[in-house]
Amino acid sequence: QWQLVESGGGLVQEGGSLRLSCVASGTRGIIEEMGWYRQAPGKERELVAAITRRGSTNYANSVKERFIISRDNAKKTVYLQMNSLKPEDTAIYYCKIVTMVPFDRPYDYWGQGTPVTVSS
């Protein structure tokens, strides 16, 4: 089993910045992918950004050029630097990891979520 602890959310004015962190703890398998998703009120949960163990990244079009995802494999931590925030970025942000175990299927683990509110 893996546990995820997110931090860094909060209230920020439009145009401001926030940095989210997610620390994973566990021992079964390796963390292949780490990512951030968000869910705004009344909307589906969506991918914000993800990064593989080797550093390949994937971003939602709405956050490209504004958000940067990074990870520290030794610390089992993923970060999301969010710049030029807009009111439409307001959501609960969830950390997700995908773990790989030899001869087994991938497993997904989710954090509890951290709220981000951007005021106009």
Side-chain angles (χ1 to χ4, degrees):
Q1 290 285 349
W2 288 80
Q3 288 77 44
L4 307 178
V5 178
E6 302 131 326
S7 61
L11 174 64
V12 64
Q13 289 190 332
E14 184 174 8
S17 297
L18 282 174
R19 187 191 195 211
L20 305 183
S21 299
C22 173
V23 181
S25 59
T27 57
R28 188 167 186 266
I30 60 170
I31 303 174
E32 176 55 38
E33 184 177 289
M34 305 184 84
W36 291 94
Y37 289 69
R38 68 185 181 188
Q39 187 166 20
K43 294 189 176 181
E44 297 287 321
R45 190 173 297 188
E46 62 176 0
L47 171 70
V48 177
I51 184 168
T52 68
R53 184 163 52 92
R54 291 174 174 78
S56 296
T57 58
N58 182 33
Y59 292 93
N61 288 333
S62 59
V63 306
K64 284 180 180 177
E65 309 301 330
R66 299 189 297 123
F67 291 10
I68 300 171
I69 190 169
S70 60
R71 65 187 279 177
D72 185 327
N73 290 331
K75 295 182 179 179
K76 300 177 183 176
T77 301
V78 62
Y79 306 96
L80 185 68
Q81 177 65 44
M82 305 187 293
N83 302 318
S84 303
L85 282 161
K86 305 175 181 180
E88 50 264 43
D89 294 318
T90 295
I92 304 295
Y93 283 70
Y94 297 91
C95 176
K96 173 191 167 183
I97 65 171
V98 180
T99 63
M100 301 291 290
V101 178
F103 311 109
D104 200 353
R105 64 172 179 85
Y107 288 87
D108 294 352
Y109 296 90
W110 291 88
Q112 294 296 312
T114 184
V116 171
T117 303
V118 184
S119 63
S120 57

